[in-house]
Amino acid sequence: MIHAAFLIPLFPLAGFAVLAACGRRLGNPLAGWLATAMVAASFVVTVIVFAGLFESSSHHRSFTQTWWTWFSVDRLHVTASILVDPLSMTMALFVTGVSALIHLYSIGYMEHDGQFPKFFVYMNLFVFSMLILVLGGSFLMTFLGWEGVGVCSYFLISFWFDRPSAASAGKKAMIYNRIGDAGFLLAMFLIFERTGSLQYETVFARLGHVGTGSLTAIALLLFLGAVGKSAQLPLYPWLADAMEGPTPVSALIHAATMVTAGVYLMCRINPILYRAPDAAHVVAIIGGVTAFLGATIACAQRDIKKILAYSTISQLGYMFMAAGVGAYVAAVFLMLTHAFYKALLFLGAGSVIHAMDDEQDTKLMGGLRRIMPITSVTFLIAWLSIGGFPPFSGFWSKGEVLLNAYGFSPLLYALGALTAVLTAYYLGRCYMLVFSGQARWTEARRSGDGHGHGSGGEALHPHDPSWVMTAPLVVLAFCSVFAGFIDLPFHPDLVFLERWLSPVLGDRLFSHHFTASTEILFGVVDGVLAALGIAIAVSLWRTAVNRREVEPAFLQRAWYIDWSYDRLIARGSTLFAGFASAVVETRVIDGAVNGVALIARSAGGALRRAQTGYVRNYALGVMAGLVVLLAYVLSRAFS
């Protein structure tokens, strides 16, 4: 069964090829159903391979499946191969499973879009690229998928390219990711120079011959790639603007693909981080600060999708914090549960936007709980889960991160605990503004203050969407409740995920050695933190709409970080480019070239005067030269 692993990425690739060739003929909705079927088939194969791997002994749960030799140049031999092990299969399971649900949801969400087939062409290619990334058997194969999801994100974020904001957001995502990709490339150069290979198994086997300084440099360069891809400080601003794409794209990017790639990479290179503790500390600190920063910004946003975008940035910070302290199981655990409830949040937001005629301002919503019950209940489940309220999945996964953070540094734990309160608060604020209180959208439509496409007096009749959109919500809600049970801390037999990943992590997993009573105490504290954030949100926003005292301008403007980048880097670079064009290019470079030409022309004009065409003049010149030469020889002879 496990040798069928090659089919996992093959199905989405086949879907992409068929849709690229025949998508327009298939039309709407057949193109969507075909794309969904291909990803669902990939999920089924992943389950089969997972089962086959699970039946193997723990010492035989890793194998490389080689397809062909990609290229061979001198000492560099690269094969097109995939690495099937517990980590890659865990990633493949939730990538294919969640992606299949998002594809199904998209059939309903995009049904009126004129570019329906093209949308699913990009979606299938996106899933294929992500699967190559997580299954790749070498750094170069991972990088191939890494670049693939980057290109697909550009296609999908700027899918509605006739909107200037969408076109700009796509370019912004591409530029930020290219900065991180430079770090990944440099890391691969250094890895090959130090180990002579790019295959994961070979590289990890030769780390004992690599110095700590080189390992630290490799880890930090790879982390730079992860910072760009997973939107961490200082390269996070692109992810908020990426909300310009269709909502299913946002769900796919945030929950199942792309932004989780950086966390996966840090877990994959755990042997390198283990030998480069200084680099691991940097990963933990950047993750903790990003988690807090993203949460604070989310507390003051009005756009429902931007609230969720900054939430993703914050949750990814938690994952990097866990990976940085060596708690890789906690990082994967949170990544897994996050995939469910963040996809649920985005798809729920999409249902609201769909019902509100593309309105995204939470201050112009309200009162939707009674008329959109399925969306309301599933969104509530996602809120309680991401907020860490027991017994939802986020309680177990986030609690594991915080417990390991405390074992590493109480200060890091305090930062994470404060972020946990903010997380429960800002999602509670979002829920209250959207689903509770009075229906503000009726008044907004009458006054023409809405931002939707049909705003300006037209009547709205919000309701839950069709079954193709609600079915994924129900499935994801179920997973958001029960996914936490795959790694319960009560008994060694209940930590399934830890035992499953142990062949990949070995003895490099951070162990905090807390007593059972201490772990229970931390669990109680985690529940209290969640309840505190929820209580504050309900008390502040149950009836109120505007509370400027808790929505300061600097949080609405995301700490002015993106603004600073625009003023100092973007506009500064534009001014420098103008100066270089007007002064350096025109006066210095062109001046130097024109000066050389002028000198050559002047010298040629002067020398041309000596070319008279008269033989007597040339004979006179020859005789003059002989006289000078003779005089020189005689002077040397008598000196």
Side-chain angles (χ1 to χ4, degrees), residues 293-318:
L293 187 77
T296 59
I297 297 172
C299 290
Q301 300 301 303
R302 295 180 56 155
D303 187 312
I304 186 172
K305 289 176 67 176
K306 286 199 173 183
I307 294 172
L308 302 183
Y310 285 110
S311 170
T312 300
I313 294 170
S314 178
Q315 296 300 299
L316 289 167
Y318 269 119

Side-chain angles (χ1 to χ4, degrees), residues 116-383:
F116 184 89
K118 185 171 72 172
F119 178 81
F120 285 96
V121 169
Y122 295 156
M123 291 282 277
N124 265 200
L125 183 60
F126 204 156
V127 175
F128 165 74
S129 299
M130 187 63 188
L131 289 172
I132 291 296
L133 191 157
V134 300
L135 293 173
S138 66
F139 282 97
L140 197 56
M141 281 293 289
T142 294
F143 188 71
L144 177 65
W146 191 274
E147 290 302 289
V149 294
V151 171
C152 291
S153 69
Y154 170 74
F155 292 153
L156 288 167
I157 292 169
S158 56
F159 184 76
W160 290 322
F161 58 87
D162 54 334
R163 303 179 186 177
S165 57
S168 176
K171 290 183 287 186
K172 189 172 186 177
M174 181 67 75
I175 292 170
Y176 272 85
N177 276 269
R178 295 296 76 73
I179 296 172
D181 293 349
F184 201 132
L185 278 170
L186 291 173
M188 285 197 296
F189 297 156
L190 188 54
I191 289 169
F192 178 72
E193 196 275 332
R194 290 289 185 266
T195 66
S197 177
L198 291 176
Q199 296 292 129
Y200 284 123
E201 293 179 339
T202 305
V203 170
F204 295 155
R206 297 176 181 175
L207 292 181
H209 304 289
V210 183
T212 303
S214 296
L215 291 174
T216 301
I218 290 169
L220 290 177
L221 287 170
L222 290 173
F223 180 56
L224 174 59
V227 164
K229 192 67 68 181
S230 297
Q232 298 293 284
L233 274 173
L235 301 179
Y236 77 87
W238 71 267
L239 193 57
D241 288 357
M243 298 302 97
E244 291 292 337
T247 302
V249 172
S250 303
L252 194 65
I253 290 176
H254 286 249
T257 63
M258 190 159 176
V259 295
T260 59
V263 181
Y264 163 76
L265 182 63
M266 293 298 99
C267 294
R268 174 59 72 192
I269 65 165
N270 66 87
I272 298 177
L273 289 176
Y274 182 76
R275 294 171 178 269
D278 291 340
H281 296 168
V282 172
V283 174
I285 293 170
I286 293 294
V289 174
T290 304
F292 174 75
L293 187 77
T296 59
I297 297 172
C299 290
Q301 300 301 303
R302 295 180 56 155
D303 187 312
I304 186 172
K305 289 176 67 176
K306 286 199 173 183
I307 294 172
L308 302 183
Y310 285 110
S311 170
T312 300
I313 294 170
S314 178
Q315 296 300 299
L316 289 167
Y318 269 119
M319 299 174 207
F320 279 105
M321 181 169 66
V325 304
Y328 303 107
V329 173
V332 174
F333 190 19
L334 181 57
M335 181 164 46
L336 181 65
T337 58
H338 177 265
F340 297 130
Y341 53 68
K342 185 52 61 71
L344 179 56
L345 286 168
F346 268 109
L347 298 188
S351 296
V352 170
I353 295 169
H354 196 264
M356 297 294 294
D357 195 18
D358 293 341
E359 180 61 71
Q360 296 183 198
D361 190 342
T362 56
K363 297 296 181 72
L364 300 178
M365 297 182 183
L368 296 178
R369 181 172 53 194
R370 294 178 298 277
I371 53 182
M372 299 183 68
I374 297 177
T375 303
S376 172
V377 171
T378 54
F379 201 96
L380 174 64
I381 291 172
W383 164 32

Side-chain angles (χ1 to χ4, degrees), residues 321-601:
M321 181 169 66
V325 304
Y328 303 107
V329 173
V332 174
F333 190 19
L334 181 57
M335 181 164 46
L336 181 65
T337 58
H338 177 265
F340 297 130
Y341 53 68
K342 185 52 61 71
L344 179 56
L345 286 168
F346 268 109
L347 298 188
S351 296
V352 170
I353 295 169
H354 196 264
M356 297 294 294
D357 195 18
D358 293 341
E359 180 61 71
Q360 296 183 198
D361 190 342
T362 56
K363 297 296 181 72
L364 300 178
M365 297 182 183
L368 296 178
R369 181 172 53 194
R370 294 178 298 277
I371 53 182
M372 299 183 68
I374 297 177
T375 303
S376 172
V377 171
T378 54
F379 201 96
L380 174 64
I381 291 172
W383 164 32
L384 296 176
S385 186
I386 193 174
F389 193 78
F392 297 90
S393 61
F395 169 76
W396 307 105
S397 57
K398 190 177 295 183
E400 190 68 20
V401 172
L402 291 175
L403 185 64
N404 282 277
Y406 183 83
F408 181 81
S409 167
L411 182 60
L412 204 59
Y413 168 81
L415 191 63
L418 179 57
T419 303
V421 176
L422 293 176
T423 302
Y425 164 75
Y426 66 69
L427 259 301
R429 168 182 174 270
C430 179
Y431 182 86
M432 292 296 154
L433 287 174
V434 173
F435 294 101
S436 297
Q438 298 298 316
R440 296 178 299 277
W441 41 272
T442 54
E443 185 64 32
R445 303 287 289 197
R446 283 196 296 269
S447 63
D449 293 335
H451 300 156
H453 293 251
S455 60
E458 298 178 13
L460 270 181
H461 302 284
H463 58 277
D464 277 322
S466 62
W467 73 268
V468 294
M469 295 175 66
T470 54
L473 297 181
V474 174
V475 174
L476 289 169
F478 177 85
C479 295
S480 297
V481 175
F482 296 105
F485 296 162
I486 65 172
D487 206 64
L488 296 175
F490 305 128
H491 190 274
D493 292 336
L494 298 178
V495 287
F496 169 78
L497 186 64
E498 181 176 339
R499 289 188 288 111
W500 169 248
L501 294 176
S502 60
V504 180
L505 304 174
D507 59 355
R508 295 177 294 276
L509 187 64
F510 175 70
S511 180
H512 44 68
H513 299 298
F514 288 127
T515 63
S517 58
T518 303
E519 292 188 6
I520 293 174
L521 176 61
F522 272 97
V524 172
V525 172
D526 292 339
V528 170
L529 294 175
L532 178 62
I534 292 171
I536 295 173
V538 172
S539 62
L540 287 178
W541 299 100
R542 182 174 52 189
T543 56
V545 178
N546 293 303
R547 290 188 177 275
R548 299 182 184 276
E549 67 276 10
V550 294
E551 296 177 330
F554 75 93
L555 290 184
Q556 294 179 25
R557 299 293 300 274
W559 292 84
Y560 291 98
I561 294 176
D562 196 28
W563 179 88
S564 301
Y565 290 169
D566 178 63
R567 293 297 188 277
L568 299 177
I569 300 177
R571 300 193 182 192
S573 299
T574 302
L575 291 174
F576 177 75
F579 170 79
S581 175
V583 179
V584 178
E585 174 72 17
T586 304
R587 299 183 182 180
V588 179
I589 298 177
D590 286 352
V593 173
N594 294 335
V596 171
L598 180 62
I599 293 172
R601 187 176 65 178

